[in-house]
Amino acid sequence: GRYHRPVREDRVFMFLDLAESTALTLRLGDVGVHALISQVFFDIDDVILEHGGEVHRYIGDEVVITWPLAGCRDNGPCLSCFQAIQALIAKRAEAYRQTFGVVPAFRAGLHGGPVVAGECGDSKQEIVYFGDTINTAARLRSACKDLKVPLLVSGELVRRIVVPANVPLESRGRLWLSGRSEETQVFAPKIMAEIS
């Protein structure tokens, strides 16, 4: 009943998807890539929970993860979560290679700010978040491909949280993101390998 009426909240969102999923579908087939995606989402679930995240929704090869912004201010678990997901997949790389012939890679966009949350639907009800915060996180994930980085974080979020020492970030300049009236400063982790 908390969201029976719309509620304003400050939240962080991560849009995380499987890189090169079209090529993977051609290689593994629809059933094969579904099995890969299902395994990945199963494997990373504990990591998300350990970092205080909540899976909001699965959309094809993408998972949307959210945190209360207040819970990310002190030690940046939203940033550590992505690094932990990368580490887990690297640890299980050989098992993925043996089962699927490939080790999955990811792209993610991370942004935080105000949203409106509320119940939607009748026969199938769910909590839906609305606002620029959601759109910006999704567009940052899309921009990863052009910048050839696995993760982009908005400068707005970086200024509102303490960035963990084990996730050093560097500026990647400013981007025009669709739907925004000004350029968005973006950051990417220094230590992560670039992906094509």
Side-chain angles (χ1 to χ4, degrees):
R2 176 180 176 185
Y3 296 107
H4 183 65
R5 293 186 179 182
V7 176
R8 293 185 182 277
E9 297 181 344
D10 283 334
R11 298 193 73 85
V12 175
F13 286 86
M14 178 189 291
F15 280 68
L16 175 93
D17 76 354
L18 197 62
E20 309 302 333
S21 59
T22 302
L24 288 172
T25 300
L26 292 173
R27 180 175 174 179
L28 300 174
D30 293 338
V31 174
V33 82
H34 178 272
L36 172 61
I37 292 167
S38 295
Q39 186 64 55
V40 168
F41 289 166
F42 179 85
D43 288 346
I44 69 174
D45 195 65
D46 282 345
V47 174
I48 293 166
L49 293 174
E50 287 166 9
H51 288 81
E54 170 192 332
V55 172
H56 170 55
R57 178 178 291 166
Y58 298 107
I59 309 166
D61 67 345
E62 180 175 64
V63 58
V64 181
I65 307 162
T66 185
W67 293 259
L69 181 57
C72 290
R73 285 196 175 113
D74 294 337
N75 59 0
C78 51
L79 285 167
S80 299
C81 182
F82 185 82
Q83 187 178 53
I85 288 171
Q86 296 282 74
L88 176 70
I89 297 302
K91 182 179 177 182
R92 298 187 179 172
E94 190 54 36
Y96 277 105
R97 208 173 277 114
Q98 288 180 7
T99 305
F100 302 103
V102 66
V103 179
F106 305 96
R107 294 189 185 98
L110 196 57
H111 180 60
V115 293
V116 173
E119 293 178 7
C120 282
D122 186 10
S123 62
K124 182 188 184 301
Q125 290 190 345
E126 62 178 289
I127 306 301
V128 178
Y129 295 99
F130 299 93
D132 174 69
T133 298
I134 301 272
N135 299 333
T136 299
R139 287 173 181 137
L140 287 170
R141 190 258 310 136
S142 296
C144 288
K145 187 170 186 177
D146 292 336
L147 293 182
K148 296 184 178 179
V149 293
L151 174 66
L152 281 176
V153 186
S154 71
E156 294 153 82
L157 179 60
V158 168
R159 287 187 290 275
R160 295 183 75 176
I161 66 174
V162 174
V163 176
N166 64 338
V167 189
L169 299 176
E170 62 183 355
S171 176
R172 289 298 185 108
R174 294 180 173 273
L175 299 177
W176 281 109
L177 299 176
S178 176
R180 302 201 99 194
S181 59
E182 297 179 353
E183 288 182 313
T184 301
Q185 185 179 20
V186 296
F187 289 81
K190 290 181 184 179
I191 58 174
M192 294 183 182
E194 293 189 349
I195 60 173
S196 59

